[in-house]
mmCIF file with all atom_site columns, all heavy atoms in Angstrom:
data_model
loop_
_atom_site.group_PDB
_atom_site.id
_atom_site.type_symbol
_atom_site.label_atom_id
_atom_site.label_alt_id
_atom_site.label_comp_id
_atom_site.label_asym_id
_atom_site.label_entity_id
_atom_site.label_seq_id
_atom_site.pdbx_PDB_ins_code
_atom_site.Cartn_x
_atom_site.Cartn_y
_atom_site.Cartn_z
_atom_site.occupancy
_atom_site.B_iso_or_equiv
_atom_site.pdbx_formal_charge
_atom_site.auth_seq_id
_atom_site.auth_comp_id
_atom_site.auth_asym_id
_atom_site.auth_atom_id
_atom_site.pdbx_PDB_model_num
ATOM 1   N N   . PRO A 1 337 ? -10.116 -11.041 -28.990 1.00 49.00 ? 337 PRO A N   1
ATOM 2   C CA  . PRO A 1 337 ? -9.765  -11.680 -30.237 1.00 49.00 ? 337 PRO A CA  1
ATOM 3   C C   . PRO A 1 337 ? -10.566 -11.095 -31.479 1.00 49.00 ? 337 PRO A C   1
ATOM 4   O O   . PRO A 1 337 ? -11.639 -10.537 -31.303 1.00 49.00 ? 337 PRO A O   1
ATOM 5   C CB  . PRO A 1 337 ? -10.241 -13.148 -30.142 1.00 49.00 ? 337 PRO A CB  1
ATOM 6   C CG  . PRO A 1 337 ? -11.268 -13.060 -29.036 1.00 49.00 ? 337 PRO A CG  1
ATOM 7   C CD  . PRO A 1 337 ? -10.929 -11.920 -28.136 1.00 49.00 ? 337 PRO A CD  1
ATOM 8   N N   . ARG A 1 338 ? -10.002 -11.201 -32.629 1.00 46.00 ? 338 ARG A N   1
ATOM 9   C CA  . ARG A 1 338 ? -10.736 -10.719 -33.812 1.00 46.00 ? 338 ARG A CA  1
ATOM 10  C C   . ARG A 1 338 ? -11.911 -11.674 -34.029 1.00 46.00 ? 338 ARG A C   1
ATOM 11  O O   . ARG A 1 338 ? -11.869 -12.888 -33.787 1.00 46.00 ? 338 ARG A O   1
ATOM 12  C CB  . ARG A 1 338 ? -9.736  -10.760 -34.953 1.00 46.00 ? 338 ARG A CB  1
ATOM 13  C CG  . ARG A 1 338 ? -8.698  -9.687  -34.903 1.00 46.00 ? 338 ARG A CG  1
ATOM 14  C CD  . ARG A 1 338 ? -7.968  -9.530  -36.222 1.00 46.00 ? 338 ARG A CD  1
ATOM 15  N NE  . ARG A 1 338 ? -8.751  -9.220  -37.337 1.00 46.00 ? 338 ARG A NE  1
ATOM 16  C CZ  . ARG A 1 338 ? -9.155  -7.971  -37.689 1.00 46.00 ? 338 ARG A CZ  1
ATOM 17  N NH1 . ARG A 1 338 ? -8.651  -6.963  -36.957 1.00 46.00 ? 338 ARG A NH1 1
ATOM 18  N NH2 . ARG A 1 338 ? -9.965  -7.741  -38.693 1.00 46.00 ? 338 ARG A NH2 1
ATOM 19  N N   . ALA A 1 339 ? -12.979 -11.064 -34.699 1.00 43.00 ? 339 ALA A N   1
ATOM 20  C CA  . ALA A 1 339 ? -14.180 -11.814 -34.902 1.00 43.00 ? 339 ALA A CA  1
ATOM 21  C C   . ALA A 1 339 ? -13.957 -13.079 -35.689 1.00 43.00 ? 339 ALA A C   1
ATOM 22  O O   . ALA A 1 339 ? -14.453 -14.145 -35.333 1.00 43.00 ? 339 ALA A O   1
ATOM 23  C CB  . ALA A 1 339 ? -15.160 -10.974 -35.613 1.00 43.00 ? 339 ALA A CB  1
ATOM 24  N N   . GLU A 1 340 ? -13.303 -13.019 -36.822 1.00 42.00 ? 340 GLU A N   1
ATOM 25  C CA  . GLU A 1 340 ? -13.157 -14.212 -37.629 1.00 42.00 ? 340 GLU A CA  1
ATOM 26  C C   . GLU A 1 340 ? -12.259 -15.250 -37.062 1.00 42.00 ? 340 GLU A C   1
ATOM 27  O O   . GLU A 1 340 ? -12.330 -16.393 -37.489 1.00 42.00 ? 340 GLU A O   1
ATOM 28  C CB  . GLU A 1 340 ? -12.481 -13.857 -38.973 1.00 42.00 ? 340 GLU A CB  1
ATOM 29  C CG  . GLU A 1 340 ? -11.080 -13.210 -38.849 1.00 42.00 ? 340 GLU A CG  1
ATOM 30  C CD  . GLU A 1 340 ? -11.095 -11.772 -38.769 1.00 42.00 ? 340 GLU A CD  1
ATOM 31  O OE1 . GLU A 1 340 ? -12.157 -11.177 -38.456 1.00 42.00 ? 340 GLU A OE1 1
ATOM 32  O OE2 . GLU A 1 340 ? -10.077 -11.047 -39.072 1.00 42.00 ? 340 GLU A OE2 1
ATOM 33  N N   . GLN A 1 341 ? -11.586 -15.062 -35.970 1.00 39.00 ? 341 GLN A N   1
ATOM 34  C CA  . GLN A 1 341 ? -10.800 -16.026 -35.272 1.00 39.00 ? 341 GLN A CA  1
ATOM 35  C C   . GLN A 1 341 ? -11.699 -16.585 -34.178 1.00 39.00 ? 341 GLN A C   1
ATOM 36  O O   . GLN A 1 341 ? -11.183 -17.676 -33.543 1.00 39.00 ? 341 GLN A O   1
ATOM 37  C CB  . GLN A 1 341 ? -9.538  -15.377 -34.533 1.00 39.00 ? 341 GLN A CB  1
ATOM 38  C CG  . GLN A 1 341 ? -8.610  -14.708 -35.605 1.00 39.00 ? 341 GLN A CG  1
ATOM 39  C CD  . GLN A 1 341 ? -7.463  -14.043 -34.924 1.00 39.00 ? 341 GLN A CD  1
ATOM 40  O OE1 . GLN A 1 341 ? -7.703  -13.411 -33.810 1.00 39.00 ? 341 GLN A OE1 1
ATOM 41  N NE2 . GLN A 1 341 ? -6.309  -13.941 -35.537 1.00 39.00 ? 341 GLN A NE2 1
ATOM 42  N N   . ARG A 1 342 ? -12.864 -16.246 -33.927 1.00 38.00 ? 342 ARG A N   1
ATOM 43  C CA  . ARG A 1 342 ? -13.529 -16.755 -32.694 1.00 38.00 ? 342 ARG A CA  1
ATOM 44  C C   . ARG A 1 342 ? -14.840 -17.419 -33.290 1.00 38.00 ? 342 ARG A C   1
ATOM 45  O O   . ARG A 1 342 ? -14.975 -18.425 -33.807 1.00 38.00 ? 342 ARG A O   1
ATOM 46  C CB  . ARG A 1 342 ? -13.866 -15.564 -31.774 1.00 38.00 ? 342 ARG A CB  1
ATOM 47  C CG  . ARG A 1 342 ? -12.625 -15.263 -30.893 1.00 38.00 ? 342 ARG A CG  1
ATOM 48  C CD  . ARG A 1 342 ? -11.946 -16.351 -30.207 1.00 38.00 ? 342 ARG A CD  1
ATOM 49  N NE  . ARG A 1 342 ? -12.988 -17.152 -29.397 1.00 38.00 ? 342 ARG A NE  1
ATOM 50  C CZ  . ARG A 1 342 ? -12.794 -18.320 -28.927 1.00 38.00 ? 342 ARG A CZ  1
ATOM 51  N NH1 . ARG A 1 342 ? -11.655 -19.012 -29.285 1.00 38.00 ? 342 ARG A NH1 1
ATOM 52  N NH2 . ARG A 1 342 ? -13.688 -18.961 -28.239 1.00 38.00 ? 342 ARG A NH2 1
ATOM 53  N N   . MET A 1 343 ? -15.967 -16.703 -33.052 1.00 35.00 ? 343 MET A N   1
ATOM 54  C CA  . MET A 1 343 ? -17.341 -17.242 -32.952 1.00 35.00 ? 343 MET A CA  1
ATOM 55  C C   . MET A 1 343 ? -17.793 -17.570 -34.474 1.00 35.00 ? 343 MET A C   1
ATOM 56  O O   . MET A 1 343 ? -17.702 -16.727 -35.257 1.00 35.00 ? 343 MET A O   1
ATOM 57  C CB  . MET A 1 343 ? -18.251 -16.410 -32.298 1.00 35.00 ? 343 MET A CB  1
ATOM 58  C CG  . MET A 1 343 ? -17.905 -16.194 -30.891 1.00 35.00 ? 343 MET A CG  1
ATOM 59  S SD  . MET A 1 343 ? -19.297 -15.245 -29.989 1.00 35.00 ? 343 MET A SD  1
ATOM 60  C CE  . MET A 1 343 ? -20.717 -16.301 -30.408 1.00 35.00 ? 343 MET A CE  1
ATOM 61  N N   . PRO A 1 344 ? -18.286 -18.763 -34.725 1.00 35.00 ? 344 PRO A N   1
ATOM 62  C CA  . PRO A 1 344 ? -18.923 -18.972 -36.023 1.00 35.00 ? 344 PRO A CA  1
ATOM 63  C C   . PRO A 1 344 ? -20.303 -18.342 -36.173 1.00 35.00 ? 344 PRO A C   1
ATOM 64  O O   . PRO A 1 344 ? -20.964 -18.203 -35.225 1.00 35.00 ? 344 PRO A O   1
ATOM 65  C CB  . PRO A 1 344 ? -19.138 -20.528 -35.937 1.00 35.00 ? 344 PRO A CB  1
ATOM 66  C CG  . PRO A 1 344 ? -19.257 -20.849 -34.516 1.00 35.00 ? 344 PRO A CG  1
ATOM 67  C CD  . PRO A 1 344 ? -18.372 -19.874 -33.740 1.00 35.00 ? 344 PRO A CD  1
ATOM 68  N N   . LEU A 1 502 ? -20.490 -12.280 -31.357 1.00 82.00 ? 502 LEU A N   1
ATOM 69  C CA  . LEU A 1 502 ? -19.616 -12.017 -32.498 1.00 82.00 ? 502 LEU A CA  1
ATOM 70  C C   . LEU A 1 502 ? -19.445 -10.510 -32.638 1.00 82.00 ? 502 LEU A C   1
ATOM 71  O O   . LEU A 1 502 ? -20.312 -9.758  -32.561 1.00 82.00 ? 502 LEU A O   1
ATOM 72  C CB  . LEU A 1 502 ? -20.268 -12.586 -33.807 1.00 82.00 ? 502 LEU A CB  1
ATOM 73  C CG  . LEU A 1 502 ? -19.441 -12.308 -35.125 1.00 82.00 ? 502 LEU A CG  1
ATOM 74  C CD1 . LEU A 1 502 ? -18.104 -13.128 -35.164 1.00 82.00 ? 502 LEU A CD1 1
ATOM 75  C CD2 . LEU A 1 502 ? -20.263 -12.684 -36.401 1.00 82.00 ? 502 LEU A CD2 1
ATOM 76  N N   . HIS A 1 503 ? -18.101 -10.109 -32.862 1.00 82.00 ? 503 HIS A N   1
ATOM 77  C CA  . HIS A 1 503 ? -17.866 -8.647  -32.904 1.00 82.00 ? 503 HIS A CA  1
ATOM 78  C C   . HIS A 1 503 ? -16.974 -8.405  -34.216 1.00 82.00 ? 503 HIS A C   1
ATOM 79  O O   . HIS A 1 503 ? -16.476 -9.411  -34.854 1.00 82.00 ? 503 HIS A O   1
ATOM 80  C CB  . HIS A 1 503 ? -17.212 -8.133  -31.624 1.00 82.00 ? 503 HIS A CB  1
ATOM 81  C CG  . HIS A 1 503 ? -15.859 -8.592  -31.494 1.00 82.00 ? 503 HIS A CG  1
ATOM 82  N ND1 . HIS A 1 503 ? -14.710 -7.878  -31.963 1.00 82.00 ? 503 HIS A ND1 1
ATOM 83  C CD2 . HIS A 1 503 ? -15.359 -9.727  -30.885 1.00 82.00 ? 503 HIS A CD2 1
ATOM 84  C CE1 . HIS A 1 503 ? -13.653 -8.533  -31.565 1.00 82.00 ? 503 HIS A CE1 1
ATOM 85  N NE2 . HIS A 1 503 ? -13.996 -9.675  -31.015 1.00 82.00 ? 503 HIS A NE2 1
ATOM 86  N N   . ASP A 1 504 ? -16.785 -7.143  -34.479 1.00 79.00 ? 504 ASP A N   1
ATOM 87  C CA  . ASP A 1 504 ? -16.200 -6.803  -35.784 1.00 79.00 ? 504 ASP A CA  1
ATOM 88  C C   . ASP A 1 504 ? -14.565 -6.789  -35.660 1.00 79.00 ? 504 ASP A C   1
ATOM 89  O O   . ASP A 1 504 ? -13.970 -6.381  -36.674 1.00 79.00 ? 504 ASP A O   1
ATOM 90  C CB  . ASP A 1 504 ? -16.637 -5.465  -36.206 1.00 79.00 ? 504 ASP A CB  1
ATOM 91  C CG  . ASP A 1 504 ? -16.499 -4.258  -35.151 1.00 79.00 ? 504 ASP A CG  1
ATOM 92  O OD1 . ASP A 1 504 ? -15.998 -4.622  -34.005 1.00 79.00 ? 504 ASP A OD1 1
ATOM 93  O OD2 . ASP A 1 504 ? -16.824 -3.134  -35.386 1.00 79.00 ? 504 ASP A OD2 1
ATOM 94  N N   . GLY A 1 505 ? -14.002 -7.166  -34.512 1.00 77.00 ? 505 GLY A N   1
ATOM 95  C CA  . GLY A 1 505 ? -12.517 -7.347  -34.455 1.00 77.00 ? 505 GLY A CA  1
ATOM 96  C C   . GLY A 1 505 ? -11.759 -6.076  -34.526 1.00 77.00 ? 505 GLY A C   1
ATOM 97  O O   . GLY A 1 505 ? -10.629 -6.059  -34.858 1.00 77.00 ? 505 GLY A O   1
ATOM 98  N N   . GLN A 1 506 ? -12.373 -4.940  -34.096 1.00 81.00 ? 506 GLN A N   1
ATOM 99  C CA  . GLN A 1 506 ? -11.591 -3.619  -34.202 1.00 81.00 ? 506 GLN A CA  1
ATOM 100 C C   . GLN A 1 506 ? -10.480 -3.605  -33.114 1.00 81.00 ? 506 GLN A C   1
ATOM 101 O O   . GLN A 1 506 ? -10.650 -3.979  -32.022 1.00 81.00 ? 506 GLN A O   1
ATOM 102 C CB  . GLN A 1 506 ? -12.539 -2.471  -34.012 1.00 81.00 ? 506 GLN A CB  1
ATOM 103 C CG  . GLN A 1 506 ? -13.351 -2.197  -35.202 1.00 81.00 ? 506 GLN A CG  1
ATOM 104 C CD  . GLN A 1 506 ? -14.083 -0.782  -34.981 1.00 81.00 ? 506 GLN A CD  1
ATOM 105 O OE1 . GLN A 1 506 ? -13.328 0.265   -34.703 1.00 81.00 ? 506 GLN A OE1 1
ATOM 106 N NE2 . GLN A 1 506 ? -15.286 -0.800  -35.075 1.00 81.00 ? 506 GLN A NE2 1
#
Side-chain angles (χ1 to χ4, degrees):
R338 291 187 60 84
E340 61 267 22
Q341 295 174 330
R342 288 302 309 163
M343 296 185 53
L502 177 67
H503 71 94
D504 56 357
Q506 286 194 51

